[in-house]
Amino acid sequence: MEDSKTQAAAGVEDTDGLSAPVSPKAHDTGQGGGDRTEQPQERAEDDGDTEHRNQADSILMEGMQEIAISDDSSSSSGGQKPPPLKATGAPAEASYAAAGSAEQQEKPRSPGRRPLSPNAIGIVRMSSKSPATTHPLQGGTSAGAGSGRGSAASSPKGRSFESADRTAATAATATPMTSIAASTASAVGRAPASRLADGEISESEEEEEDDDPVLAYEEEQRRRFRLAEQRRMQKEQLAQRCVSSEEIETMRSGLYNARESRNATELRILNGKYPDGLRGSLFMVGPGSLDISYNVQGELEQSTRAFTFGNLLDALPLVTKITFDPNAGAGSGSIVHRSRLVAGQMAGRIQSEHGINARIPGSLYQSESNQTVLTRFMPRQTYPITAESESCGQGVHLFVPLQGSSQNIVCTNHTGALQNIDPVDLRPRATVETRQINGAFACSLSTPQMQHDADTREHFMVLQDVGFRSTTYSVVSISDAHPDGYVVASFTAQPSVVHSFSLTRDYVVVPVYPYQAPVGGPGYRWSDSLLETLEFDRTQPVVFYVVSREYRRVHCVYRAPALFAMHQINAVQEPAADDSVTIDCVAYEDDTILRRLRIDSLRRASAGFAIPSAQIRRYRLPRITMEAQHYVPGSLRMASVPHAHVLVLRNEPAELPSVSPAFVGRPYTYLYGVSHFDRLLRREDHLQGAGPGSTVYNCLVKLNVADPAVPPRVWSRNHCLPSEPVFVPRSDAEDDGYLVSVFFDSMRIASCLLVLDAATFEEILIAQLPSPVPLSFGHAKFAI
């Protein structure tokens, strides 16, 4: 493969020895390999002197004499005669491909001009003996035009002798000077096809060009550009057909660009059988495009570079739909898969700008925008919001009333954008900002995870409008009864990274984690990456703001030692006599989990790298009604803020948690999520970055939060990395149902659908997806 690349770069075709490289020395001395011979350099000068001595007064006669003299100069001048052309055995109708074979004689060229390589004009000489290379891992050039010989019909640019003779006959009858014109035209008609083929230059044209150094320079630049472009195309072809060890390592990490499958594809069951009675559709959103390639124009050729997102949460999204139909497939059930990349316009903008020119500050979690420092001080460009102009890949929600309909799927991000997805073919319908829904919903940041009240059919979000000195939080609601939405309550606090919050029957609980902007408000406005602007402050407490849904105001606040949680598990409002709220969450000591989701670190983890472990904690906010009587809005003094009671439910690590939908907002027992198998076994080698599970989650886990003594149930397979599990109920019992997830097999570089029995954690079904799905820290919902 390296030999073929070297030969292609030198402009030499390896076609079973049909052509050989010609050195510059051979051109200077008139000696070359094979039958190639160069004309003496004095020939053009002698011809020019002869022409000027024999010019006629008539312009037409002058032109015809130049052609005639040029054709006869080999016999009348004192220079060498060109060697006669060898017979190749090809018919007179031979195409340019035949003229370009090994037997072709190279025509005379002007002094100082190097012969054009066939690669410079985009022509590849192929041997009829050489088979086409079709294996994707081989780097040869596939045969697309056949052998080096063929008829004139096989080459649209080839000129036959018959057409030249007709041209000569027409010229002879159109002018009275038949003696010179006819002889000249017949001479032209008798010229070999290789002399008149496209890409060749006649001797008279060469002499005219040699008189103009500007034209000669431009022709040389065009030749170099064609050669450089040919080399670039060959490199790209080789790069597409060859897979390096580094690329294989990236593919096995599960963090590479996904391939969408827009057409519905029925999945093949590898293990198990169709789950009894399982009906509905699983909708997932996660990273789809992590690397965006773009071209950079150099002096002589183009080079291809790639823009890589820094954080997994910044990648452009892929939406996946898996539909279960128990009545299809002759009653045996069928599973149909469909997926789509839904940020195509944003990917095109990254290619044209060679990076991200952030529309609003903080629109990235932790990615380099690949823009100059001056762009921080320049007015930000505003782009029209279109269906695929924003990256909404951090949350997926069902039946959100948007644009006059609730029959849709909505994907969200952390900057207040909502993407309306068609639930049938996953086509993006539109992308709207929260301010377009309601003018009071203007924000800089928002919670990607919305909360849904099944009784009132309301969808809640928390928005942050970050100002120069303060940040205003707004809890907003959207429903079928209020499609334009309304603001439940607002309060002022410091900016924070709030990924999710809690909802009960009467309250909305918003956690504000302790963050500080290092350089104040202006620093936030100048930064594109949120985690580079805000720093977690472990010396400050987390504050829980309790918002009353009935009175539409902040009821009271609580504080607790510093923590960070991306996902809330459940929130339960206790009886009115106590009037307390308990909040269960996946709690970390700080926000290291966000900063460890860097794509380069997850692809090639170094020694000591590990995703931090979390605890399952419960925070109890007691006597809300009593504390509401002492709360004074706008005068928050931490010394007077009551404490939240903390209880550790489980020490086993778990993430992307889910519970039975029937037990959301109610006391529950079982929690499902992803975890590290080694840490569940309480091994310590993961602290050194060794063993599976030290970098990404490699098993599913079921935890009993009511009794810590009950051991966890675990599902795991070698080299299999699961995504968020979704519970699908089968009856009213809490753990009677199915657990649906998608895992990535890093050894086979494939993704599979997994269905478990939620009670026993036994495998029911494994079906292979048509294309791999990248590892996801995204979310999924099941629509029945």
Side-chain angles (χ1 to χ4, degrees), residues 118-267:
N119 290 336
I121 54 177
I123 297 174
V124 180
R125 298 174 179 171
M126 298 297 299
S127 169
S128 59
K129 302 178 182 179
S130 302
T133 302
T134 58
H135 196 283
L137 295 183
Q138 293 179 349
T141 304
S142 61
S147 63
R149 299 184 181 184
S151 62
S154 64
S155 177
K157 295 184 179 181
R159 301 180 184 177
S160 64
F161 294 108
E162 181 181 358
S163 62
D165 290 337
R166 285 199 300 266
T167 304
T170 304
T173 58
T175 175
M177 291 169 277
T178 56
S179 58
I180 298 178
S183 61
T184 303
S186 61
V188 175
R190 291 192 302 271
S194 60
R195 293 275 299 275
L196 297 176
D198 285 353
E200 300 292 347
I201 304 174
S202 65
E203 296 177 7
S204 58
E205 290 176 346
E206 273 194 16
E207 293 171 359
E208 293 178 2
E209 289 188 5
D210 289 341
D211 295 337
D212 192 343
V214 176
L215 294 178
Y217 175 79
E218 291 179 353
E219 176 64 24
E220 179 68 14
Q221 292 299 314
R222 284 192 292 268
R223 187 193 68 80
R224 291 185 179 183
F225 178 79
R226 288 194 296 266
L227 181 60
E229 188 68 13
Q230 182 70 14
R231 291 175 180 174
R232 184 186 67 83
M233 294 176 62
Q234 291 178 351
K235 290 179 181 179
E236 289 183 354
Q237 292 175 358
L238 291 176
Q240 292 175 358
R241 296 171 181 171
C242 302
V243 181
S244 64
S245 59
E246 182 178 357
E247 290 174 332
I248 294 178
E249 181 182 0
T250 300
M251 295 170 66
R252 286 184 173 173
S253 70
L255 298 173
Y256 65 101
N257 289 351
R259 186 176 72 251
E260 61 182 5
S261 301
R262 296 189 178 185
N263 297 326
T265 305
E266 186 172 356
L267 301 185

Side-chain angles (χ1 to χ4, degrees), residues 657-684:
S658 65
V659 299
S660 173
F663 287 81
V664 173
R666 297 171 49 191
Y668 70 106
T669 302
Y670 300 109
L671 160 70
Y672 308 92
V674 296
S675 185
H676 297 284
F677 185 74
D678 284 0
R679 299 180 188 178
L680 291 174
L681 298 180
R682 289 178 169 77
R683 295 181 182 178
E684 299 299 331

Side-chain angles (χ1 to χ4, degrees), residues 468-546:
F468 184 80
R469 297 184 178 275
S470 63
T471 299
T472 300
Y473 287 74
S474 298
V475 179
V476 301
S477 170
I478 305 173
S479 63
D480 290 326
H482 300 87
D484 294 334
Y486 65 92
V487 177
V488 180
S490 299
F491 58 90
T492 301
Q494 74 268 20
S496 180
V497 180
V498 182
H499 194 77
S500 63
F501 58 100
S502 301
L503 177 70
T504 67
R505 183 183 67 253
D506 297 326
Y507 304 109
V508 178
V509 181
V510 181
V512 177
Y513 304 109
Y515 276 89
Q516 297 292 336
V519 291
Y524 173 80
R525 287 297 180 185
W526 292 341
S527 180
D528 294 328
S529 295
L530 191 61
L531 296 181
E532 294 178 359
T533 301
L534 301 179
E535 291 184 358
F536 192 87
D537 188 357
R538 302 185 64 173
T539 63
Q540 298 297 321
V542 58
V543 179
F544 296 95
Y545 287 82
V546 182

Side-chain angles (χ1 to χ4, degrees), residues 558-577:
Y558 293 84
R559 61 173 172 161
L563 76 128
F564 178 79
M566 287 193 66
H567 302 107
Q568 314 290 320
I569 301 171
N570 202 0
V572 179
Q573 185 174 341
E574 297 181 0

Side-chain angles (χ1 to χ4, degrees), residues 46 188 214 323 354 368 507 510 659 732 743:
D46 295 341
V188 175
V214 176
T323 302
H354 302 173
E368 293 292 337
Y507 304 109
V510 181
V659 299
D732 294 335
F743 67 82

Side-chain angles (χ1 to χ4, degrees), residues 385-444:
I385 303 298
T386 60
E388 300 188 28
S389 62
E390 295 295 320
S391 176
C392 300
Q394 300 173 30
V396 58
H397 308 280
L398 307 177
F399 313 124
V400 179
L402 200 64
Q403 296 182 314
S405 174
S406 60
Q407 298 300 315
N408 49 48
I409 308 300
V410 172
C411 296
T412 56
N413 63 10
H414 70 284
T415 58
L418 296 88
Q419 189 175 34
N420 188 349
I421 304 292
D422 190 301
V424 178
D425 59 2
L426 304 182
R427 174 180 53 85
R429 293 172 173 170
T431 299
V432 299
E433 294 180 300
T434 54
R435 60 170 55 91
Q436 295 176 273
I437 301 175
N438 191 316
F441 292 0
C443 69
S444 304

